[in-house]
Amino acid sequence: MNIYELRTPALLVHSAALEHNLAIMHNARPRTTLRPHVKAHKCTALARRQVAHGHTAFTCATPREVIGMATAGLGRDLLLANEVLDRTLLGDMAAVQHLATVHIAVDSVDTIDAAADAGLRYVLIDVNIGLPRCGCAPADAGVLADHARSRGLFVSGVMGYEGHLMMVSDRDEQKVRVDRAVDKLLAAHLLVGGEVISGGGTGTYDLHDQLTEVQAGSYALMDTHYAQLGLPFQQACTVLGTVISTCAGHSVVDVGLKALGMDHGNPQVRSVDGESGDVWFVSDEHTTFSNLAVRTNHRVHVLPAHIDPTMALHDVAWVVDGDEVVDQWRIDLRGW
Amino acid sequence: MNIYELRTPALLVHSAALEHNLAIMHNARPRTTLRPHVKAHKCTALARRQVAHGHTAFTCATPREVIGMATAGLGRDLLLANEVLDRTLLGDMAAVQHLATVHIAVDSVDTIDAAADAGLRYVLIDVNIGLPRCGCAPADAGVLADHARSRGLFVSGVMGYEGHLMMVSDRDEQKVRVDRAVDKLLAAHLLVGGEVISGGGTGTYDLHDQLTEVQAGSYALMDTHYAQLGLPFQQACTVLGTVISTCAGHSVVDVGLKALGMDHGNPQVRSVDGESGDVWFVSDEHTTFSNLAVRTNHRVHVLPAHIDPTMALHDVAWVVDGDEVVDQWRIDLRGW
């Protein structure tokens, strides 16, 4: 089968670019020095490629990702880098601990008690290192670790995420600011102990020498937002569309809001020959663009601005080698 | 069951607000003078409520919506207000014509030929009346209608969508501009003939006296974007979340980019008592907010800025009457 036989919109994973990205990353951060983030693809088949490249520990954002990865036999060590209070979901994760080590992030007495009550065994103390989201104040990390240990939990270390620094375009400035954020994590680690100091992402994957592991995820498939940074990773995911309408001034492709994560703004449009068009706007089922020589029934690639929520909108990814469809992967870790 | 027993994030449909909205709209545009747009909810159970209020014709944006509605026995007349060239999908729609009249929008010789070849029987000529998306130039509508008739298709009339005018806040100015757009559709209709003049949306539902039917969809569930217009419709959909982390300056609820359509910007956050917080930003699985007195494990409502793509991210909607969960509806028309 080739891409011209696919119903559109169709999520494509370009295998050569994916393998390039996985190889580059594994060269920079081999084996457990990277804990690939599953939220960026939500796909056990893709995680299997990351395992093939040598990674054995994974980061997850939802209980369903943890349970799906464990059940698929992927990852010996799964970290839910997120706070959960729901007893049922915590219990469901505890029930897969015979398949993998399950770590969960905690940042409060409530999250620690919920994890302990559910029978989970391993936690990381989640520390706020500058991004105002989850995470305790660095100075509180030691007290929380003590409480976790008093509840019988094994505290493996700390995690923090400098998400506010992913898109700093000046690399020298970024390095200075990342180091300052990591200093907070190291201060917390002195209070907590344990072997794990976890953090980082695709935008800072090569700036860390103090972390024991980096949680990058977007590097595998990339998006136009991260592409602005000039990282050595290639766009490995596009949404294939069909041109359904053209007129003198503009054309319309059948890829819209329901096929694209839109929080980082409009996607890019590219012909199958690699020429770029100008995107005007995106509607539920359409992207309007100009300056690309296309006719009705032509295929065009739409490049998502944000990969993670794009994956959450598709049932399947078609793996392609050039124009040839070589595999079909289920996006099987969607939902919660 | 009540909302405190639901796993979060959970899409809620507030039944009293929904029924209010359906009643208001049916009073303004009864029976077939409204052709409710299914793309705004993608849910046959909700469409069944629209049928109960007296509507028997529906608008769809995807073949799956058409086929799902026909198969569910909903709508005697289904309009795909979108251009399709895929022969398989067109054939699948032709195959449900014994269940409902299926109309399809066409705006080119290619789309007409594809519809005729697939065995579809009814078309509307789609006319560009100002929004640069699908639709032929008004002056070309007659020639296309002739071509469609020469291919054996029944041309029921015209459609156009003044989507660029939905959010004009001055109602007098909006009315003038809408009339000017509709004039283009009427000019096309003179060339085309047929009984149907279809257009409009939630933002202009009460401004049309020349259209035979209005294609509004968002009015049923609403969103914070349309709420800016001061329409008589209430917010009938929220995404329920759990507060998973709090600190001195902000709190975090477990509703993020993967649970919200984000193209219209950030959602709003509201306590179960109706107090509003200040949203800072949204991440994959989180919304960070402040100025709302909450603790971990509290529930809060997150109000989507755009309802249509929000629905596309959820498997089910929980129908609630206050805090009580009274039904569960599958969002069964997702995908393509």
Side-chain angles (χ1 to χ4, degrees), chain A residues 295-316:
Chain A
R295 286 194 230 147
T296 49
N297 240 332
H298 279 191
R299 299 293 186 279
V300 297
H301 294 283
V302 182
L303 285 60
H306 193 180
I307 186 66
D308 309 42
T310 299
M311 299 302 285
L313 286 159
H314 293 266
D315 284 324
V316 297

Side-chain angles (χ1 to χ4, degrees), chain A residues 1-6 12 14 240 271-273 299 301 319-326:
Chain A
M1 187 154 73
N2 69 54
I3 61 169
Y4 300 96
E5 298 168 75
L6 292 175
L12 305 186
H14 301 265
L240 187 75
S271 73
V272 290
D273 302 321
R299 299 293 186 279
H301 294 283
V319 185
V320 298
D321 177 6
D323 285 354
E324 196 187 349
V325 178
V326 295

Side-chain angles (χ1 to χ4, degrees), chain B:
Chain B
M1 186 153 76
N2 69 54
I3 62 169
Y4 299 97
E5 298 168 74
L6 292 175
R7 282 191 191 181
T8 57
L11 186 83
L12 305 186
V13 169
H14 301 265
S15 61
L18 171 64
E19 292 298 324
H20 166 90
N21 295 345
L22 298 185
I24 291 272
M25 180 59 95
H26 190 259
N27 192 49
R29 299 208 64 96
R31 304 190 63 78
T32 55
T33 63
L34 188 82
R35 193 188 274 274
H37 213 315
V38 170
K39 80 179 173 80
H41 54 68
K42 287 182 171 285
C43 173
T44 53
L46 199 157
R48 211 174 291 283
R49 295 302 313 142
Q50 293 173 311
V51 169
H53 278 262
H55 304 296
T56 55
F58 284 87
T59 314
C60 300
T62 63
R64 184 172 290 185
E65 290 169 15
V66 170
I67 294 160
M69 288 288 288
T71 307
L74 293 165
R76 289 199 282 270
D77 181 354
L78 303 171
L79 164 62
L80 184 70
N82 195 1
E83 276 62 18
V84 174
L85 291 159
D86 185 289
R87 309 269 154 156
T88 310
L89 290 174
L90 290 166
D92 291 347
M93 286 190 288
V96 298
Q97 289 180 114
H98 64 292
L99 299 172
T101 299
V102 175
H103 276 96
I104 182 164
V106 292
D107 70 352
S108 64
V109 170
D110 284 351
T111 47
I112 290 167
D113 287 346
D117 291 345
L120 284 162
R121 293 199 281 267
Y122 299 92
V123 298
L124 294 186
I125 306 297
D126 189 0
V127 183
N128 181 339
I129 60 172
L131 177 74
R133 208 165 62 187
C134 299
C136 68
D140 296 338
V143 174
L144 289 174
D146 292 343
H147 180 68
R149 291 188 178 106
S150 79
R151 290 299 317 267
L153 292 163
F154 188 87
V155 181
S156 299
V158 294
M159 67 156 276
Y161 178 55
E162 73 285 14
H164 56 305
L165 303 178
M166 286 298 133
M167 296 305 296
V168 178
S169 56
D170 182 296
R171 290 290 270 174
D172 293 334
E173 180 198 341
Q174 189 181 32
K175 171 72 175 151
V176 169
R177 293 177 64 185
V178 166
D179 283 347
R180 218 176 292 152
V182 171
D183 283 346
K184 296 182 188 175
L185 191 58
L186 296 174
H189 181 249
L190 283 179
L191 304 172
V192 169
E195 290 187 357
V196 177
I197 309 172
S198 188
T202 293
T204 64
Y205 81 102
D206 58 345
L207 300 180
H208 290 292
D209 37 27
Q210 309 256 38
L211 301 183
T212 61
E213 59 181 41
V214 162
Q215 297 181 4
S218 300
Y219 77 98
L221 294 174
M222 287 293 285
D223 55 38
T224 63
H225 192 66
Y226 265 129
Q228 297 169 41
L229 288 179
L231 302 169
F233 307 112
Q234 300 171 359
Q235 185 80 32
C237 174
T238 62
V239 184
L240 186 75
T242 302
V243 176
I244 56 167
S245 184
T246 64
C247 68
H250 68 267
S251 299
V252 182
V253 57
D254 63 352
V255 176
L257 302 174
K258 288 166 179 167
L260 296 166
M262 289 295 298
D263 58 295
H264 285 166
N266 282 342
Q268 295 176 12
V269 169
R270 211 171 274 176
S271 72
V272 290
D273 302 322
E275 301 289 319
S276 289
D278 296 329
V279 169
W280 290 15
F281 66 97
V282 185
S283 317
D284 278 325
E285 302 291 351
H286 306 112
T287 296
T288 296
F289 64 96
S290 62
N291 289 328
L292 205 56
V294 290
R295 285 193 231 148
T296 49
N297 240 332
H298 278 191
R299 298 294 186 277
V300 297
H301 293 284
V302 182
L303 284 62
H306 193 181
I307 186 66
D308 309 42
T310 299
M311 299 303 284
L313 285 159
H314 293 266
D315 284 324
V316 297
W318 301 93
V319 185
V320 299
D321 177 6
D323 284 353
E324 196 187 350
V325 179
V326 296
D327 208 348
Q328 178 184 1
W329 288 349
R330 278 198 59 227
I331 317 298
D332 51 354
L333 303 177
R334 301 157 72 200
W336 297 278

Side-chain angles (χ1 to χ4, degrees), chain A residues 11-194:
Chain A
L11 186 83
L12 305 186
V13 169
H14 301 265
S15 61
L18 171 65
E19 292 298 324
H20 166 90
N21 294 346
L22 299 185
I24 291 274
M25 181 59 96
H26 190 260
N27 193 47
R29 300 207 64 95
R31 305 190 64 77
T32 55
T33 63
L34 188 83
R35 193 189 272 274
H37 213 317
V38 170
K39 80 180 173 80
H41 54 70
K42 287 181 171 285
C43 174
T44 53
L46 200 157
R48 210 173 292 284
R49 295 303 313 143
Q50 293 173 310
V51 169
H53 279 262
H55 304 297
T56 55
F58 285 87
T59 313
C60 300
T62 64
R64 183 172 291 185
E65 290 169 14
V66 170
I67 294 161
M69 288 288 288
T71 307
L74 293 165
R76 288 199 284 268
D77 181 354
L78 302 171
L79 164 64
L80 183 69
N82 195 1
E83 276 63 18
V84 174
L85 291 159
D86 186 288
R87 310 270 155 157
T88 310
L89 290 174
L90 290 166
D92 291 348
M93 285 190 288
V96 298
Q97 290 179 112
H98 63 293
L99 299 171
T101 299
V102 175
H103 276 96
I104 183 165
V106 292
D107 70 351
S108 64
V109 169
D110 284 353
T111 47
I112 289 166
D113 287 347
D117 291 346
L120 285 162
R121 293 199 280 267
Y122 297 92
V123 297
L124 293 186
I125 306 297
D126 188 1
V127 183
N128 181 337
I129 60 172
L131 177 74
R133 209 165 63 188
C134 300
C136 66
D140 296 338
V143 174
L144 289 173
D146 292 343
H147 180 67
R149 291 188 178 106
S150 80
R151 291 298 316 268
L153 292 163
F154 188 86
V155 181
S156 299
V158 294
M159 66 156 276
Y161 178 55
E162 73 285 14
H164 57 305
L165 303 178
M166 286 299 131
M167 296 305 295
V168 177
S169 55
D170 182 296
R171 290 291 270 175
D172 293 334
E173 181 198 341
Q174 189 181 30
K175 171 71 176 152
V176 170
R177 293 177 64 186
V178 165
D179 283 346
R180 218 176 291 150
V182 171
D183 283 345
K184 296 181 188 175
L185 191 59
L186 297 175
H189 181 250
L190 283 178
L191 303 172
V192 169

